[in-house]
């Protein structure tokens, strides 16, 4: 099992001074975080995509290109690319370019996103939510498999034996499908034979076992090699020298983030009891010291029939930069502990 970090590049208020970290400094911090992850021996670092005031990750390909030039071995991912709102040809070209800059270290995780801002921003109808993703994923997969593409659909002009350049260093460019809890999404990824990245943002990971089994059965029915039906997880997580330090560093920003979401969506505000329960032995949050985190990651993998990788979403809007760097370094200590998990 491999372990990595995901970031939504949140706008941060320093909890000690209450000063908002400016965007230039925030990007300097982000690149330092990715360099630290590279030195710590983590497998991958992912950048999300949002089009909201509280995040700076609207152009993840640009961020990953900057990271590619400053790292040596860590794999670089989108987490996720909102494919429904993008042109698959441009997505392929951008990430093929980043793959060349990195020397073949890029992976695309594509999905529909958990927010809706991209649809009005790019003139799309939310009524086409499912159709847009299905059609654009079909084209993106075709682009990864052949230099010349013939394709037609409803939401983009057709391609007729069209060559698409540049080609990436990796052949094919790895494409993962990011999913939430929709059974149809799990089946679609399995039938296409694409690796699966499951976002688990609450509850208990073992509740996803039937859906992951559904994905694997769909892949088998599609005639795909079980070895290519990889499963990854995206979860909230944070490390400290002990569980109290990890929790005290991470919880205030977690509370702020989910308070905002609850206010927007008409839900109940988050509570400390809810957070503590979700960081328990079977909960979705991975919070603690390196030994506790290693034990929990192995437990989650076992509950789900084995997973290829787990990526921890560490960033939030009230988090000290030094605490985040320390968390990344401690996660590096987890790597040898779960190498055979």
């Amino acid at each position: 099992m491999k372990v990595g970090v995901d970031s939504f590049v949140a706008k941060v208020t320093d909890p000690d001074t209450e000063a908002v970290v400016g965007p230039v400094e925030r990007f300097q911090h982000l690149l330092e975080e990715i360099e630290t992850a590279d030195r710590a021996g983590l497998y991958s670092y992912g950048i999300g995509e949002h089009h909201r005031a509280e995040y700076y990750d609207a152009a993840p390909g640009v961020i990953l290109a900057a990271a590619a030039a400053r790292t040596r071995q860590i794999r670089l991912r989108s987490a996720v690319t909102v494919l429904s709102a993008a042109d698959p040809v441009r997505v392929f070209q951008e990430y093929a370019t980043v793959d060349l800059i990195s020397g073949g270290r890029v992976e695309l995780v594509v999905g529909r996103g958990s927010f809706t801002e991209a649809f009005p921003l790019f003139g799309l109808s939310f009524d086409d939510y499912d159709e847009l993703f299905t059609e654009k994923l079909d084209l993106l997969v075709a682009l990864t498999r052949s230099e010349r593409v013939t394709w037609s659909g409803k939401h983009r002009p057709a391609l007729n034996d069209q060559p698409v350049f540049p080609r990436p260093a990796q052949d094919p460019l790895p494409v993962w499908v990011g999913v939430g809890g929709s059974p149809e999404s799990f089946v679609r990824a399995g039938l296409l034979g694409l690796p699966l990245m499951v976002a688990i943002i609450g509850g208990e990971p073992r509740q996803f076992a039937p859906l992951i089994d559904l994905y694997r059965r769909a892949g088998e029915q599609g005639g795909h090699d079980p070895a290519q039906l990889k499963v990854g997880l995206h979860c909230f997580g944070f490390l400290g020298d002990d569980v109290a330090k990890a929790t005290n560093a991470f919880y205030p920003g977690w509370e702020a983030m989910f308070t905002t979401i609850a206010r927007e969506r008409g839900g109940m505000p988050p509570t400390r009891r809810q957070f503590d329960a979700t960081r328990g032995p079977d909960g979705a949050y991975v919070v603690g010291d390196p030994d506790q985190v290693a034990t929990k990651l192995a437990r989650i993998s076992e509950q789900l029939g084995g997973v290829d990788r787990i990526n921890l979403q560490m960033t939030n809007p009230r988090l000290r930069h030094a605490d985040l760097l320390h968390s990344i370094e401690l996660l590096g200590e987890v790597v040898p502990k779960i190498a055979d998990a």
Side-chain angles (χ1 to χ4, degrees):
M1 180 167 53
K2 306 173 184 70
V3 64
V5 175
D6 285 343
S7 175
F8 293 167
V9 199
K11 181 183 293 185
V12 173
T13 298
D14 187 301
D16 295 321
T17 67
E18 294 301 317
V20 176
V21 178
V24 172
E25 185 179 10
R26 181 68 187 91
F27 272 110
Q28 292 171 345
H29 287 177
L30 175 67
L31 292 173
E32 186 179 357
E33 293 156 18
I34 300 173
E35 289 178 297
T36 300
D38 189 36
R39 290 193 301 270
L42 301 187
Y43 183 74
S44 65
Y45 202 105
I47 300 294
E49 179 187 342
H50 299 84
H51 302 274
R52 298 168 60 88
E54 65 264 39
Y55 300 113
Y56 294 128
D57 59 354
V62 177
I63 299 170
L64 293 175
R70 295 175 61 157
T71 54
R72 293 293 175 265
Q73 61 184 13
I74 195 166
R75 294 188 69 79
L76 303 166
R77 298 176 291 102
S78 59
V80 300
T81 294
V82 184
L83 187 63
S84 303
D87 181 348
V89 174
R90 290 300 289 154
V91 169
F92 175 81
Q93 290 177 318
E94 289 169 5
Y95 281 86
T97 302
V98 180
D99 196 48
L100 294 171
I101 294 170
S102 72
R105 293 186 282 126
V106 165
E107 297 177 350
L108 262 169
V109 182
V110 299
R112 291 174 287 194
S114 58
F115 294 97
T116 62
E117 286 81 4
F119 284 81
L121 180 63
F122 296 108
L124 301 168
S125 171
F126 202 70
D127 292 338
D128 298 325
Y129 183 81
D130 290 313
E131 188 177 76
L132 279 165
F133 182 73
T134 301
E135 180 178 294
K136 292 185 177 187
L137 179 60
D138 178 64
L139 175 53
L140 180 64
V141 171
L143 291 163
T144 67
R145 293 177 176 172
S146 177
E147 178 181 299
R148 308 185 75 92
V149 176
T150 297
W151 178 92
S152 63
K154 178 180 176 181
H155 297 281
R156 190 201 185 282
L159 300 175
N160 183 21
D161 195 31
Q162 179 68 46
V164 179
F165 301 106
R167 306 308 298 178
Q170 300 174 91
D171 183 18
L173 184 69
V175 174
W176 292 60
V177 178
V179 300
S182 165
E184 293 80 9
S185 297
F186 286 78
V187 170
R188 179 189 298 118
L191 291 175
L192 290 171
L194 296 175
L196 185 76
M197 185 63 67
V198 187
I200 303 179
I201 61 173
E204 297 183 346
R206 61 184 174 181
Q207 295 171 324
F208 284 80
L211 291 170
I212 291 174
D213 182 61
L214 182 64
Y215 160 72
R216 288 172 171 145
R217 287 190 282 114
E220 181 180 355
Q221 292 171 7
H224 301 291
D225 182 350
Q228 74 186 74
L229 300 173
K230 298 177 181 179
V231 176
L233 306 180
H234 164 99
C235 308
F236 285 102
F238 202 78
L239 287 81
D241 296 324
D242 55 47
V243 68
K245 290 180 179 178
T247 299
N248 291 338
F250 191 70
Y251 175 76
W254 176 89
E255 180 188 38
M257 180 167 50
F258 278 95
T259 296
T260 298
I261 293 173
R263 188 181 301 119
E264 289 181 358
R265 299 181 180 181
M268 294 294 292
T271 66
R272 179 61 184 262
R273 178 177 294 181
Q274 174 189 354
F275 179 88
D276 288 340
T278 311
R279 68 168 175 80
D282 290 311
Y285 299 163
V286 183
V287 178
D289 64 33
D291 286 334
Q292 291 170 313
V293 166
T295 298
K296 184 160 188 177
L297 294 181
R299 181 182 180 87
I300 291 172
S301 180
E302 181 180 4
Q303 290 174 339
L304 298 179
V307 300
D308 179 75
R309 62 190 65 180
I310 298 181
N311 307 307
L312 301 185
Q313 207 300 78
M314 292 187 177
T315 56
N316 70 43
R318 294 188 64 82
L319 188 61
R320 297 175 186 86
H321 179 52
D323 287 341
L324 180 51
L325 292 179
H326 187 49
S327 178
I328 292 170
E329 290 167 346
L330 291 176
L331 187 58
E333 296 180 19
V334 174
V335 172
K337 299 177 186 293
I338 62 168
D340 298 326

